[in-house]
Amino acid sequence: MTDFERPVHDPATDPATDPDVDTTATPVPTSPVGAPPPTPETGSVGMGDSAGPLPSDRPLADANAPAPAPAPRQSRARWLAAAGLIALIVGVTAIGTLVLTGSTSTSKVAGFVPADSVMYGEVRLDLPGDQRQKVGQFLSKFPGFADQAALEGKLDEVLDRLTTDASDGKQTYSTDIKPWFDGQLAFSVGAVPTSGDPEAAVAETRALLVLSIKDEAKARAWFGSAISESGKTGTTEDYKGAQLTLFDDAAMGTATKVGYALVGGKVAIAGDSASIKAAIDTKGDSGLTKADAYTRARAAIAGEDVGFVFMDLKRLLGASLKAMGSAGATPPVSDSLLAMVPDWTAMRMRVEGDALLLDGAFPHTAAMPGATENRANKVADFAPPSTIVLMAGNDYGKALVDTVALYRKEPSLAEAFAGIDQVAGMLGGLDSALGWMGDTGLVVARNDSGVEGGLVSVPKDAAGGRQLLTTLRSFLTLGGAQAGITVRDEDYNGTTITIVDLGSIRDLAGMAGALGGTPLPTDPGSLPDGHVELAYAASDAVVVIGSSPDFVKHALDAGAGASLADDARFQGLVGRAGATHTGVNFVDVAAIRGLVEGMLANATPQERADYEESVKPFLEPFDAFIGAGVVGGDIDQTHALITVK
């Protein structure tokens, strides 16, 4: 039995055999995402990225969907499946292509993408530059990959299994795909359909899947065999020296043909016939890679990576609105809302030895509400050291007020705002109810019984925050008595904490059932006989609205003493994502795993054994998630990391 079937700990780092191993935290390098060391091959400066796991995690979700509009008949789906069978097989073997040697950063596939594409994405399974080394270091944290010298054999073994399962035993990766596939895979979407008619939209759809190849003869044989095994036959034609194999079906109700072509011994292209011909017309020197938006995106997030996505948002939005408008399915959208949409956006994924990194970039849009300067968010100063989730934004009150002002201009929302304003009027208006907030965020922390949490705001107008809470207290005191709601105060080190007792859990459940008019899945009498309490406190330094009085106390204590902001691990993570930012998100993945494992006490012995042997070894390496937004002149960016230990 291999260690893929039965994961084992690396003895050199197993806490059971090495008492010095720290299982709770790992030192975090503090080099920022924007400035990794030059790569040996190119000397270029890379930047981090992480959209999540490597492209092996459902890599063909995009690549195997060549048409954004749904097919009007099942036969089209069958033809697309036949023409794009390569996408399925190569997709499930994405992780296996890690065995390929590192290559240069030049993309072979990007040059064949038509210039009018509104969306482009590529996966660099050939691991350019330093990415082969980094991927090896990253995978070494997981069971079965500790010995990097055996990396190629291990991955071939895994991929052969995946390919065999995906092809019902007809294919293996090492024998059938690896000999011709050169490790680069891309997709593109051309002009987006603007017709509201489904069949017309299908006919207008333009999409491509492009793969780099290293042996045209073997690739041609593989394609021919795969199509033959699918039971489909097509016609061939010559187009500018390339042989196209095309398929159609009268039952599709459209003249659209799909197929594939091998071009110049460099790439295999699958898609609709018009897109394939447009790709051949590029001669490998695509206009897309020379377009201003694309070049700006690449420059903003330059460096070696394993994945990249680019979208022309303005054209995508414009075509989508036109299509919905022609179908009568959407109200008009004001120019003020359209002005918020950036012209384009791009993301790239990079692997570091201890993290998956995701960088995003888009043109700065002055009309977009939100913080306009980078600085360290202050919410972490009041987050307890045991915080496991932090989601915070700078100048949050201003962002909300600006957003309300923007949407208030929408004619379609006039009626909704009339009702909102009527309610907000009792609180002094929306601006007063929202504008007092400064840096604000959601905080979730561990406690002795599980978790606690609430809203933490560093007020820009402390008096305004206190006034809002005083007004709400008055409403609760006057109107809550009939519902069994009581309000009381208690002093905590000179700060007044207000506790709102909503009543017993059983009574609240019974009330919910009565209001809903349907029986509850659980008898209220079987619920715990405790009370649900919310609490809040407001000082000049912080406003806390929490799930319990204890959380409010813990937040106040953090402001006066040790807090999440003082934690070296948190500081290191934020330093990598952006020490100064417009907002920050943090998730302690390791701590959450520990909480979930605590719930396994109610599982059966077999379930616990299965988890310990087959699941936990692959979860243990994951440590934390951190993300930050950064504004910077003409281009704004986002940085996110998922770290392993």
Side-chain angles (χ1 to χ4, degrees), residues 233-237 243-248 257-260:
T233 58
T235 60
T236 60
E237 65 178 74
Q243 180 178 293
L244 280 68
T245 301
L246 300 174
F247 310 88
D248 61 6
K257 293 184 178 182
V258 295
Y260 70 92

Side-chain angles (χ1 to χ4, degrees), residues 370-379 392-399 437-440 580-584 629:
T372 57
E373 64 175 358
N374 300 315
R375 57 176 176 76
N377 187 276
K378 299 177 182 178
V379 173
N394 296 2
D395 299 324
Y396 198 66
K398 180 181 182 301
M437 290 184 283
D439 294 358
T440 303
T580 60
H581 41 256
T582 59
V584 63

Side-chain angles (χ1 to χ4, degrees), residues 314 332-341 367 406 409-411:
K314 284 292 187 183
V333 179
S334 68
D335 291 339
S336 59
L337 289 185
L338 291 176
M340 291 183 0
V341 180
L406 189 66
K409 298 176 183 178
E410 274 300 295

Side-chain angles (χ1 to χ4, degrees), residues 599-610:
M599 300 177 186
L600 290 177
N602 297 323
T604 67
Q606 184 60 51
E607 289 172 335
R608 290 196 296 271
D610 289 344

